[in-house]
Amino acid sequence: MIDAMPTTDTPTVYIVDDDEAVRFAVSMLMFSCGLRALAYESVAQFLAAKGDTAGNGCLVLDLNMPEHSGADLLELPGMLLPAVVITGFPDSPQAERAR
């Protein structure tokens, strides 16, 4: 997990991507904009750390990840965090699910 700016009153951008370079780059971009960024390498890691799917912030979410996809996370009951979806494979079935 990368914690780019650990203040509790700033909205948090939760980055869920299995690519370490993407997690780092997006975290640094959020930090440069004055936002808090927490990055996770999997949906399971995000859910274990976050504990809920609501709160002050949003998701930047990769669709194509091993085990659980970003679309799986978006389809969880009670998912209240808005999401920006990113993928290197826009023609995949996962991209169609995220629409």
Side-chain angles (χ1 to χ4, degrees):
M1 176 179 61
I2 301 167
D3 188 345
M5 193 166 124
T7 61
T8 57
D9 58 340
T10 304
T12 302
V13 178
Y14 300 98
I15 302 153
V16 184
D17 196 305
D18 60 324
D19 185 316
E20 183 177 8
V22 171
R23 288 192 311 270
F24 180 77
V26 175
S27 294
M28 293 301 102
L29 176 62
M30 296 303 110
F31 177 72
S32 74
C33 294
L35 297 170
R36 180 178 184 190
L38 296 174
Y40 305 92
E41 66 182 279
S42 68
V43 169
Q45 186 185 53
F46 166 76
L47 291 172
K50 175 81 170 99
D52 63 25
T53 55
N56 187 17
C58 70
L59 288 165
V60 174
L61 182 60
D62 183 15
L63 283 181
N64 294 304
M65 294 183 285
E67 296 183 34
H68 299 287
S69 72
D72 294 335
L73 180 56
L74 291 175
E75 292 173 346
L76 286 176
M79 172 51 74
L80 299 176
L81 288 170
V84 175
V85 176
I86 59 176
T87 183
F89 306 95
D91 295 331
S92 74
Q94 299 298 341
E96 192 61 34
R97 281 177 64 197
R99 290 179 120 187

Coordinates of all heavy atoms in Angstrom, one line a residue:
M1 N 0.8 -1.2 0.0 CA 0.0 0.0 0.0 C 0.9 1.2 0.0 O 1.9 1.3 0.7 CB -0.9 0.0 1.2 CG -1.8 1.2 1.3 SD -2.9 1.3 2.7 CE -1.8 1.2 4.1
I2 N 0.5 2.2 -0.8 CA 1.2 3.5 -0.8 C 0.3 4.5 -0.2 O -0.9 4.6 -0.6 CB 1.5 3.9 -2.3 CG1 2.4 2.9 -3.0 CG2 2.2 5.3 -2.3 CD1 2.6 3.0 -4.4
D3 N 0.7 5.3 0.7 CA -0.1 6.3 1.3 C 0.7 7.6 1.0 O 1.7 8.0 1.6 CB -0.1 6.2 2.8 CG -1.1 7.2 3.5 OD1 -1.5 8.2 2.8 OD2 -1.4 6.9 4.6
A4 N 0.1 8.3 -0.1 CA 0.9 9.5 -0.6 C 0.7 10.7 0.2 O 1.6 11.6 0.1 CB 0.4 9.8 -2.0
M5 N -0.4 10.9 1.0 CA -0.6 12.1 1.8 C -1.5 11.7 3.0 O -2.7 11.8 2.8 CB -1.2 13.2 0.9 CG -1.1 14.5 1.6 SD -1.4 15.8 0.4 CE -2.8 16.6 1.2
P6 N -0.9 11.4 4.1 CA -1.8 10.9 5.2 C -2.5 11.9 6.1 O -2.2 12.1 7.2 CB -0.7 10.1 6.0 CG 0.6 10.8 5.8 CD 0.5 11.3 4.4
T7 N -3.4 12.6 5.5 CA -4.2 13.5 6.3 C -5.6 12.9 6.3 O -6.1 12.4 5.3 CB -4.3 15.0 5.7 OG1 -4.8 14.9 4.4 CG2 -2.9 15.6 5.7
T8 N -6.3 13.0 7.4 CA -7.6 12.4 7.5 C -8.8 13.2 7.1 O -9.8 12.7 6.8 CB -7.8 12.0 9.0 OG1 -7.8 13.1 9.8 CG2 -6.8 10.9 9.5
D9 N -8.6 14.5 6.9 CA -9.8 15.3 6.5 C -9.8 15.6 5.0 O -10.8 16.1 4.5 CB -9.7 16.7 7.3 CG -8.5 17.5 7.0 OD1 -7.5 16.9 6.6 OD2 -8.5 18.7 7.3
T10 N -8.8 15.2 4.3 CA -8.8 15.3 2.8 C -9.5 14.1 2.2 O -9.3 13.0 2.6 CB -7.4 15.4 2.3 OG1 -6.7 16.4 3.0 CG2 -7.3 15.6 0.8
P11 N -10.3 14.3 1.2 CA -10.9 13.1 0.5 C -9.8 12.2 0.0 O -8.7 12.6 -0.4 CB -11.7 13.8 -0.7 CG -12.0 15.2 -0.3 CD -10.8 15.6 0.6
T12 N -10.1 10.9 0.0 CA -9.1 9.9 -0.4 C -9.4 9.3 -1.7 O -10.6 9.0 -2.0 CB -9.1 8.8 0.7 OG1 -8.8 9.3 2.0 CG2 -8.1 7.7 0.3
V13 N -8.4 9.2 -2.5 CA -8.5 8.5 -3.8 C -7.9 7.1 -3.6 O -6.8 7.0 -3.2 CB -7.7 9.3 -4.9 CG1 -7.8 8.5 -6.2 CG2 -8.3 10.7 -5.1
Y14 N -8.8 6.1 -3.7 CA -8.4 4.7 -3.5 C -8.0 4.2 -4.9 O -8.8 4.1 -5.8 CB -9.5 3.9 -2.9 CG -9.9 4.4 -1.5 CD1 -11.0 5.3 -1.4 CD2 -9.2 4.1 -0.4 CE1 -11.4 5.7 -0.2 CE2 -9.6 4.6 0.9 CZ -10.7 5.4 1.0 OH -11.1 5.9 2.2
I15 N -6.7 3.8 -5.0 CA -6.2 3.3 -6.3 C -6.1 1.8 -6.2 O -5.4 1.3 -5.3 CB -4.9 3.9 -6.6 CG1 -5.0 5.5 -6.7 CG2 -4.3 3.4 -7.9 CD1 -3.8 6.2 -6.4
V16 N -6.8 1.1 -7.1 CA -6.7 -0.4 -7.0 C -6.3 -0.9 -8.4 O -7.0 -0.8 -9.4 CB -8.1 -1.0 -6.7 CG1 -8.0 -2.5 -6.6 CG2 -8.7 -0.4 -5.4
D17 N -5.0 -1.3 -8.4 CA -4.4 -1.7 -9.7 C -3.3 -2.7 -9.4 O -2.5 -2.5 -8.5 CB -3.8 -0.5 -10.4 CG -3.5 -0.8 -11.9 OD1 -2.8 -1.7 -12.2 OD2 -4.0 0.0 -12.7
D18 N -3.2 -3.8 -10.2 CA -2.2 -4.8 -9.9 C -0.8 -4.4 -10.5 O 0.2 -5.0 -10.2 CB -2.6 -6.1 -10.5 CG -2.8 -6.1 -12.0 OD1 -3.3 -5.1 -12.5 OD2 -2.5 -7.1 -12.7
D19 N -0.7 -3.3 -11.2 CA 0.6 -2.8 -11.8 C 1.2 -1.8 -10.8 O 0.6 -0.7 -10.6 CB 0.3 -2.2 -13.1 CG 1.6 -1.8 -13.9 OD1 2.5 -1.2 -13.2 OD2 1.7 -2.1 -15.1
E20 N 2.3 -2.1 -10.3 CA 3.0 -1.3 -9.3 C 3.3 0.1 -9.9 O 3.2 1.1 -9.2 CB 4.3 -1.9 -8.7 CG 4.9 -1.1 -7.7 CD 6.2 -1.8 -7.1 OE1 6.6 -2.9 -7.6 OE2 6.7 -1.3 -6.1
A21 N 3.8 0.2 -11.1 CA 4.1 1.4 -11.7 C 2.9 2.3 -11.9 O 3.0 3.6 -11.7 CB 4.8 1.2 -13.1
V22 N 1.8 1.8 -12.2 CA 0.5 2.5 -12.3 C 0.1 3.1 -11.0 O -0.3 4.2 -10.8 CB -0.6 1.7 -13.0 CG1 -1.9 2.4 -12.9 CG2 -0.2 1.4 -14.4
R23 N 0.1 2.2 -10.0 CA -0.2 2.6 -8.6 C 0.6 3.8 -8.2 O 0.1 4.8 -7.6 CB -0.1 1.5 -7.6 CG -1.1 0.4 -7.7 CD -1.1 -0.6 -6.5 NE 0.2 -1.1 -6.1 CZ 0.7 -2.2 -6.6 NH1 0.1 -2.9 -7.5 NH2 1.9 -2.6 -6.2
F24 N 1.9 3.7 -8.4 CA 2.8 4.8 -8.0 C 2.6 6.0 -8.8 O 2.5 7.1 -8.2 CB 4.3 4.3 -8.2 CG 5.3 5.4 -7.8 CD1 5.6 5.6 -6.5 CD2 5.9 6.2 -8.8 CE1 6.5 6.6 -6.1 CE2 6.8 7.1 -8.4 CZ 7.1 7.3 -7.0
A25 N 2.4 6.0 -10.1 CA 2.2 7.1 -10.9 C 0.9 7.8 -10.6 O 0.9 9.1 -10.4 CB 2.2 6.8 -12.4
V26 N -0.2 7.1 -10.4 CA -1.5 7.7 -10.1 C -1.4 8.3 -8.6 O -1.9 9.4 -8.4 CB -2.6 6.7 -10.2 CG1 -4.0 7.3 -9.8 CG2 -2.8 6.3 -11.7
S27 N -0.8 7.6 -7.7 CA -0.6 8.1 -6.4 C 0.1 9.5 -6.4 O -0.3 10.4 -5.7 CB 0.2 7.1 -5.5 OG -0.6 6.0 -5.3
M28 N 1.2 9.5 -7.1 CA 2.0 10.8 -7.2 C 1.2 11.9 -7.9 O 1.2 13.1 -7.5 CB 3.3 10.6 -7.9 CG 4.3 9.7 -7.1 SD 4.7 10.3 -5.5 CE 3.7 9.2 -4.4
L29 N 0.4 11.6 -8.9 CA -0.5 12.6 -9.5 C -1.5 13.1 -8.5 O -1.7 14.3 -8.4 CB -1.2 11.9 -10.7 CG -2.2 12.8 -11.4 CD1 -1.5 14.1 -12.0 CD2 -2.9 12.1 -12.5
M30 N -2.1 12.2 -7.8 CA -3.1 12.7 -6.8 C -2.4 13.5 -5.7 O -2.9 14.6 -5.3 CB -3.8 11.5 -6.1 CG -4.6 10.6 -7.0 SD -5.9 11.5 -7.9 CE -5.3 11.5 -9.5
F31 N -1.2 13.1 -5.3 CA -0.5 13.9 -4.3 C -0.2 15.3 -4.8 O -0.3 16.3 -4.1 CB 0.8 13.2 -3.9 CG 1.7 13.9 -2.9 CD1 1.3 14.1 -1.6 CD2 2.9 14.5 -3.4 CE1 2.1 14.8 -0.7 CE2 3.7 15.2 -2.5 CZ 3.3 15.3 -1.2
S32 N 0.2 15.4 -6.1 CA 0.6 16.7 -6.7 C -0.7 17.6 -6.8 O -0.5 18.8 -6.9 CB 1.2 16.5 -8.1 OG 0.2 16.1 -9.0
C33 N -1.8 17.0 -6.7 CA -3.1 17.8 -6.8 C -3.6 18.1 -5.4 O -4.7 18.7 -5.2 CB -4.2 17.0 -7.5 SG -3.8 16.8 -9.3
G34 N -2.9 17.7 -4.4 CA -3.3 18.0 -3.0 C -4.3 17.0 -2.4 O -4.9 17.3 -1.4
L35 N -4.4 15.8 -3.1 CA -5.3 14.8 -2.6 C -4.6 13.7 -1.9 O -3.4 13.4 -2.1 CB -6.1 14.2 -3.8 CG -7.0 15.2 -4.5 CD1 -7.5 14.6 -5.8 CD2 -8.1 15.7 -3.7
R36 N -5.3 13.0 -1.0 CA -4.8 11.8 -0.3 C -5.0 10.7 -1.2 O -6.0 10.5 -1.8 CB -5.5 11.6 1.0 CG -5.0 10.4 1.7 CD -5.7 10.2 3.0 NE -5.0 9.1 3.7 CZ -5.5 8.5 4.7 NH1 -6.5 8.9 5.3 NH2 -4.8 7.5 5.2
A37 N -4.0 9.8 -1.4 CA -4.0 8.6 -2.2 C -3.6 7.4 -1.4 O -2.5 7.4 -0.8 CB -3.2 8.8 -3.5
L38 N -4.4 6.4 -1.5 CA -4.1 5.1 -0.9 C -4.1 4.1 -2.0 O -5.2 4.0 -2.7 CB -5.0 4.7 0.2 CG -5.0 5.6 1.5 CD1 -6.1 5.2 2.4 CD2 -3.7 5.5 2.1
A39 N -3.1 3.3 -2.2 CA -3.0 2.4 -3.4 C -2.9 0.9 -2.9 O -2.2 0.6 -1.9 CB -1.8 2.7 -4.2
Y40 N -3.7 0.1 -3.6 CA -3.8 -1.3 -3.3 C -3.5 -2.2 -4.5 O -4.0 -1.8 -5.6 CB -5.1 -1.7 -2.7 CG -5.5 -0.8 -1.5 CD1 -6.2 0.4 -1.7 CD2 -5.1 -1.1 -0.3 CE1 -6.5 1.2 -0.6 CE2 -5.4 -0.3 0.8 CZ -6.1 0.8 0.6 OH -6.4 1.6 1.7
E41 N -2.9 -3.3 -4.4 CA -2.6 -4.1 -5.5 C -3.7 -5.1 -5.9 O -3.6 -5.8 -7.0 CB -1.3 -4.9 -5.3 CG -1.3 -5.9 -4.2 CD 0.0 -6.6 -4.0 OE1 0.3 -7.6 -4.8 OE2 0.7 -6.2 -3.1
S42 N -4.8 -5.2 -5.1 CA -5.8 -6.1 -5.5 C -7.1 -5.6 -4.8 O -7.1 -4.9 -3.9 CB -5.5 -7.5 -5.0 OG -5.5 -7.6 -3.6
V43 N -8.2 -6.2 -5.3 CA -9.5 -5.9 -4.7 C -9.6 -6.4 -3.3 O -10.1 -5.8 -2.4 CB -10.7 -6.5 -5.6 CG1 -12.0 -6.5 -4.9 CG2 -10.8 -5.8 -6.9
A44 N -9.0 -7.6 -3.1 CA -9.0 -8.2 -1.8 C -8.2 -7.4 -0.8 O -8.7 -7.2 0.4 CB -8.5 -9.6 -1.8
Q45 N -7.1 -6.8 -1.2 CA -6.3 -6.0 -0.3 C -7.1 -4.7 0.0 O -7.1 -4.2 1.2 CB -5.0 -5.7 -1.0 CG -4.0 -4.9 0.0 CD -2.7 -4.5 -0.7 OE1 -2.8 -3.8 -1.8 NE2 -1.6 -4.8 -0.1
F46 N -7.7 -4.1 -1.0 CA -8.5 -2.9 -0.7 C -9.6 -3.2 0.3 O -9.8 -2.4 1.2 CB -9.1 -2.4 -2.1 CG -10.2 -1.4 -1.9 CD1 -9.9 -0.1 -1.5 CD2 -11.5 -1.7 -2.0 CE1 -10.9 0.9 -1.3 CE2 -12.5 -0.8 -1.8 CZ -12.2 0.5 -1.5
L47 N -10.4 -4.3 0.1 CA -11.5 -4.6 1.0 C -11.0 -4.9 2.4 O -11.7 -4.5 3.3 CB -12.3 -5.7 0.4 CG -13.1 -5.4 -0.9 CD1 -13.8 -6.7 -1.4 CD2 -14.2 -4.3 -0.6
A48 N -9.9 -5.6 2.5 CA -9.4 -5.9 3.8 C -8.9 -4.6 4.6 O -9.1 -4.5 5.8 CB -8.2 -6.8 3.7
A49 N -8.4 -3.7 3.9 CA -7.9 -2.4 4.5 C -9.0 -1.4 4.7 O -9.1 -0.8 5.7 CB -6.8 -1.8 3.6
K50 N -9.9 -1.3 3.7 CA -10.9 -0.2 3.8 C -12.1 -0.7 4.7 O -12.6 0.1 5.4 CB -11.4 0.1 2.3 CG -12.6 1.0 2.3 CD -12.2 2.5 2.3 CE -13.3 3.4 2.0 NZ -14.0 3.9 3.2
G51 N -12.5 -1.9 4.5 CA -13.6 -2.4 5.4 C -15.0 -2.1 4.9 O -15.9 -2.8 5.3
D52 N -15.2 -1.0 4.2 CA -16.5 -0.7 3.7 C -16.4 -0.1 2.3 O -15.3 0.1 1.8 CB -17.3 0.2 4.6 CG -16.6 1.6 4.8 OD1 -15.8 2.0 3.9 OD2 -16.8 2.3 5.8
T53 N -17.5 0.2 1.7 CA -17.4 0.7 0.3 C -18.1 2.0 0.2 O -18.7 2.4 -0.8 CB -18.1 -0.3 -0.7 OG1 -19.4 -0.6 -0.2 CG2 -17.3 -1.6 -0.8
A54 N -18.1 2.8 1.3 CA -18.6 4.1 1.4 C -17.5 5.0 1.9 O -16.5 4.6 2.4 CB -19.8 4.2 2.2
G55 N -17.8 6.3 1.9 CA -16.8 7.2 2.5 C -16.5 8.4 1.7 O -17.2 8.7 0.7
N56 N -15.6 9.2 2.2 CA -15.2 10.4 1.6 C -14.1 10.2 0.6 O -12.9 10.1 0.9 CB -14.8 11.4 2.7 CG -14.5 12.8 2.2 OD1 -14.9 13.2 1.1 ND2 -13.8 13.6 3.0
G57 N -14.4 10.1 -0.7 CA -13.4 9.9 -1.7 C -14.0 9.2 -2.9 O -15.2 9.1 -3.2
C58 N -13.0 8.6 -3.7 CA -13.4 7.9 -4.9 C -12.4 6.8 -5.2 O -11.3 6.7 -4.6 CB -13.6 8.8 -6.1 SG -12.0 9.5 -6.7
L59 N -12.7 6.0 -6.2 CA -11.8 4.9 -6.7 C -11.2 5.3 -8.0 O -11.9 5.8 -8.8 CB -12.6 3.6 -6.9 CG -13.1 2.8 -5.7 CD1 -14.2 1.8 -6.1 CD2 -12.0 2.1 -5.0
V60 N -10.0 4.9 -8.2 CA -9.4 4.8 -9.5 C -9.1 3.3 -9.6 O -8.3 2.7 -8.9 CB -8.1 5.6 -9.7 CG1 -7.5 5.4 -11.0 CG2 -8.5 7.1 -9.5
L61 N -9.8 2.7 -10.6 CA -9.9 1.2 -10.5 C -9.5 0.6 -11.9 O -10.0 1.0 -12.9 CB -11.3 0.9 -10.2 CG -11.8 -0.5 -10.1 CD1 -11.0 -1.2 -9.0 CD2 -13.3 -0.5 -9.8
D62 N -8.6 -0.4 -11.8 CA -8.2 -1.1 -13.0 C -9.2 -2.3 -13.2 O -9.6 -2.9 -12.2 CB -6.8 -1.7 -12.9 CG -6.3 -2.5 -14.1 OD1 -6.9 -2.4 -15.2 OD2 -5.3 -3.2 -13.9
L63 N -9.6 -2.5 -14.4 CA -10.6 -3.6 -14.6 C -10.0 -4.9 -14.7 O -10.6 -5.9 -14.2 CB -11.4 -3.3 -15.9 CG -12.5 -2.2 -15.9 CD1 -13.2 -2.1 -17.2 CD2 -13.5 -2.6 -14.8
N64 N -8.8 -5.1 -15.3 CA -8.3 -6.4 -15.6 C -7.2 -6.7 -14.6 O -6.0 -6.3 -14.7 CB -7.7 -6.4 -17.0 CG -8.8 -6.3 -18.0 OD1 -9.7 -7.1 -18.0 ND2 -8.7 -5.3 -18.9
M65 N -7.6 -7.4 -13.5 CA -6.7 -7.9 -12.5 C -6.9 -9.3 -12.2 O -8.0 -9.8 -12.4 CB -6.9 -7.0 -11.2 CG -6.6 -5.6 -11.3 SD -6.8 -4.7 -9.8 CE -8.6 -4.5 -9.7
P66 N -5.9 -10.0 -11.7 CA -6.0 -11.4 -11.4 C -7.0 -11.6 -10.2 O -7.3 -10.6 -9.4 CB -4.6 -11.9 -10.9 CG -3.7 -10.8 -11.3 CD -4.5 -9.5 -11.5
E67 N -7.6 -12.7 -10.1 CA -8.6 -13.1 -9.0 C -9.9 -12.3 -9.1 O -10.8 -12.8 -9.6 CB -8.0 -13.0 -7.7 CG -6.8 -13.9 -7.4 CD -6.3 -13.8 -6.0 OE1 -7.0 -13.6 -5.1 OE2 -5.0 -14.0 -5.9
H68 N -9.9 -11.1 -8.7 CA -11.1 -10.3 -8.7 C -10.9 -9.1 -9.6 O -9.9 -8.3 -9.4 CB -11.6 -9.8 -7.3 CG -11.9 -10.9 -6.4 ND1 -13.0 -11.7 -6.5 CD2 -11.2 -11.4 -5.4 CE1 -13.0 -12.6 -5.6 NE2 -11.9 -12.5 -4.9
S69 N -11.8 -8.8 -10.5 CA -11.6 -7.7 -11.4 C -12.2 -6.4 -10.8 O -12.9 -6.5 -9.8 CB -12.4 -7.9 -12.8 OG -13.8 -7.9 -12.5
G70 N -11.9 -5.3 -11.4 CA -12.4 -4.1 -11.0 C -14.0 -4.1 -11.1 O -14.7 -3.5 -10.3
A71 N -14.5 -4.7 -12.1 CA -15.9 -4.8 -12.3 C -16.5 -5.6 -11.1 O -17.7 -5.3 -10.7 CB -16.3 -5.5 -13.6
D72 N -15.8 -6.6 -10.6 CA -16.3 -7.3 -9.4 C -16.5 -6.3 -8.2 O -17.5 -6.4 -7.5 CB -15.4 -8.4 -9.0 CG -15.3 -9.6 -10.0 OD1 -16.2 -9.7 -10.8 OD2 -14.2 -10.2 -10.0
L73 N -15.6 -5.5 -8.0 CA -15.7 -4.5 -6.9 C -16.8 -3.5 -7.2 O -17.6 -3.3 -6.2 CB -14.3 -3.7 -6.8 CG -14.3 -2.7 -5.7 CD1 -14.6 -3.2 -4.3 CD2 -12.9 -2.0 -5.7
L74 N -17.0 -3.1 -8.4 CA -18.1 -2.1 -8.7 C -19.5 -2.8 -8.4 O -20.4 -2.1 -8.1 CB -18.0 -1.6 -10.1 CG -16.8 -0.7 -10.4 CD1 -16.8 -0.4 -11.9 CD2 -16.9 0.6 -9.6
E75 N -19.6 -4.1 -8.6 CA -20.8 -4.8 -8.5 C -21.2 -5.2 -7.0 O -22.2 -5.8 -6.8 CB -20.9 -6.0 -9.4 CG -20.9 -5.6 -10.9 CD -20.7 -6.8 -11.8 OE1 -20.3 -7.9 -11.3 OE2 -21.0 -6.6 -13.0
L76 N -20.3 -4.9 -6.1 CA -20.6 -5.3 -4.7 C -21.8 -4.6 -4.2 O -22.0 -3.4 -4.4 CB -19.4 -5.0 -3.8 CG -18.2 -5.9 -3.9 CD1 -17.1 -5.4 -3.0 CD2 -18.5 -7.3 -3.5
P77 N -22.7 -5.3 -3.4 CA -23.8 -4.6 -2.8 C -23.3 -3.5 -1.9 O -22.4 -3.6 -1.2 CB -24.5 -5.7 -2.0 CG -24.0 -7.0 -2.6 CD -22.6 -6.7 -3.1
G78 N -23.9 -2.3 -2.0 CA -23.6 -1.2 -1.2 C -22.4 -0.4 -1.6 O -21.9 0.5 -0.9
M79 N -21.9 -0.7 -2.8 CA -20.8 0.1 -3.3 C -21.2 1.5 -3.6 O -22.1 1.8 -4.4 CB -20.2 -0.5 -4.6 CG -19.2 0.4 -5.4 SD -17.8 0.9 -4.4 CE -16.9 -0.6 -4.2
L80 N -20.7 2.4 -2.7 CA -21.1 3.8 -2.8 C -20.0 4.8 -3.3 O -20.3 6.0 -3.5 CB -21.6 4.3 -1.4 CG -22.8 3.5 -0.9 CD1 -23.2 4.0 0.5 CD2 -24.0 3.6 -1.8
L81 N -18.8 4.3 -3.4 CA -17.7 5.1 -3.8 C -17.8 5.4 -5.4 O -18.0 4.4 -6.1 CB -16.4 4.5 -3.5 CG -16.0 4.5 -2.1 CD1 -14.7 3.6 -1.9 CD2 -15.7 5.9 -1.6
P82 N -17.8 6.6 -5.8 CA -17.7 6.8 -7.3 C -16.4 6.3 -7.8 O -15.4 6.2 -7.0 CB -17.8 8.3 -7.4 CG -17.5 8.9 -6.1 CD -17.7 7.8 -5.1
A83 N -16.4 5.9 -9.1 CA -15.2 5.2 -9.6 C -14.8 5.8 -11.0 O -15.7 6.1 -11.8 CB -15.4 3.7 -9.7
V84 N -13.5 6.0 -11.2 CA -12.9 6.2 -12.5 C -12.3 4.9 -12.9 O -11.4 4.4 -12.1 CB -11.9 7.3 -12.4 CG1 -11.2 7.5 -13.7 CG2 -12.5 8.6 -11.9
V85 N -12.7 4.4 -14.0 CA -12.2 3.1 -14.4 C -11.1 3.2 -15.5 O -11.2 4.0 -16.4 CB -13.4 2.3 -15.0 CG1 -12.9 0.9 -15.6 CG2 -14.5 2.1 -14.0
I86 N -10.0 2.5 -15.3 CA -8.9 2.5 -16.2 C -8.6 1.1 -16.7 O -8.9 0.1 -15.9 CB -7.6 3.2 -15.6 CG1 -7.2 2.4 -14.4 CG2 -7.9 4.6 -15.3 CD1 -5.8 3.0 -13.8
T87 N -8.2 0.9 -17.9 CA -7.9 -0.4 -18.4 C -7.0 -0.3 -19.6 O -7.1 0.7 -20.4 CB -9.1 -1.2 -18.8 OG1 -8.7 -2.5 -19.2 CG2 -9.9 -0.6 -19.9
G88 N -6.1 -1.2 -19.8 CA -5.3 -1.3 -20.9 C -5.9 -2.2 -22.0 O -5.4 -2.3 -23.1
F89 N -7.1 -2.7 -21.7 CA -7.8 -3.6 -22.6 C -9.2 -3.2 -22.8 O -10.2 -3.8 -22.3 CB -7.7 -5.1 -22.1 CG -6.3 -5.5 -21.8 CD1 -5.8 -5.4 -20.5 CD2 -5.5 -6.0 -22.8 CE1 -4.5 -5.8 -20.3 CE2 -4.2 -6.4 -22.6 CZ -3.7 -6.3 -21.3
P90 N -9.5 -2.1 -23.5 CA -10.9 -1.5 -23.6 C -11.9 -2.4 -24.3 O -13.1 -2.2 -24.1 CB -10.7 -0.2 -24.3 CG -9.4 -0.4 -25.1 CD -8.6 -1.3 -24.3
D91 N -11.5 -3.4 -25.0 CA -12.4 -4.3 -25.7 C -12.7 -5.5 -24.9 O -13.4 -6.4 -25.5 CB -11.8 -4.7 -27.1 CG -11.7 -3.5 -28.0 OD1 -12.5 -2.5 -27.8 OD2 -10.8 -3.5 -28.9
S92 N -12.3 -5.6 -23.7 CA -12.5 -6.8 -22.9 C -13.9 -6.9 -22.4 O -14.6 -5.9 -22.3 CB -11.5 -6.9 -21.7 OG -11.9 -6.0 -20.7
P93 N -14.4 -8.1 -22.0 CA -15.7 -8.2 -21.4 C -15.8 -7.5 -20.1 O -16.9 -7.0 -19.8 CB -15.8 -9.7 -21.2 CG -14.9 -10.4 -22.1 CD -13.8 -9.4 -22.3
Q94 N -14.7 -7.3 -19.4 CA -14.7 -6.5 -18.1 C -15.1 -5.1 -18.4 O -15.8 -4.5 -17.6 CB -13.3 -6.6 -17.5 CG -12.9 -8.0 -17.1 CD -13.8 -8.6 -16.1 OE1 -14.6 -8.0 -15.4 NE2 -13.8 -9.9 -16.0
A95 N -14.6 -4.5 -19.5 CA -14.9 -3.1 -19.8 C -16.4 -3.0 -20.1 O -17.0 -2.0 -19.7 CB -14.1 -2.7 -21.0
E96 N -17.0 -4.0 -20.8 CA -18.4 -3.9 -21.0 C -19.2 -4.0 -19.7 O -20.2 -3.3 -19.6 CB -18.8 -5.1 -22.0 CG -20.2 -5.0 -22.5 CD -20.4 -3.8 -23.4 OE1 -19.4 -3.3 -24.1 OE2 -21.5 -3.2 -23.4
R97 N -18.7 -4.8 -18.8 CA -19.4 -4.9 -17.5 C -19.4 -3.6 -16.7 O -20.3 -3.3 -15.9 CB -18.7 -5.9 -16.6 CG -19.1 -7.4 -16.9 CD -18.3 -8.4 -16.1 NE -18.7 -8.3 -14.7 CZ -17.9 -8.8 -13.7 NH1 -16.8 -9.4 -14.0 NH2 -18.3 -8.7 -12.5
A98 N -18.4 -2.8 -16.9 CA -18.2 -1.6 -16.1 C -19.0 -0.4 -16.6 O -19.1 0.6 -16.0 CB -16.7 -1.2 -16.1
R99 N -19.6 -0.5 -17.8 CA -20.4 0.6 -18.3 C -21.5 1.0 -17.5 O -22.2 0.7 -16.8 CB -20.9 0.2 -19.7 CG -19.8 0.1 -20.7 CD -20.4 -0.3 -22.0 NE -20.0 0.8 -22.9 CZ -20.5 0.8 -24.1 NH1 -21.3 0.0 -24.6 NH2 -20.1 1.8 -24.9

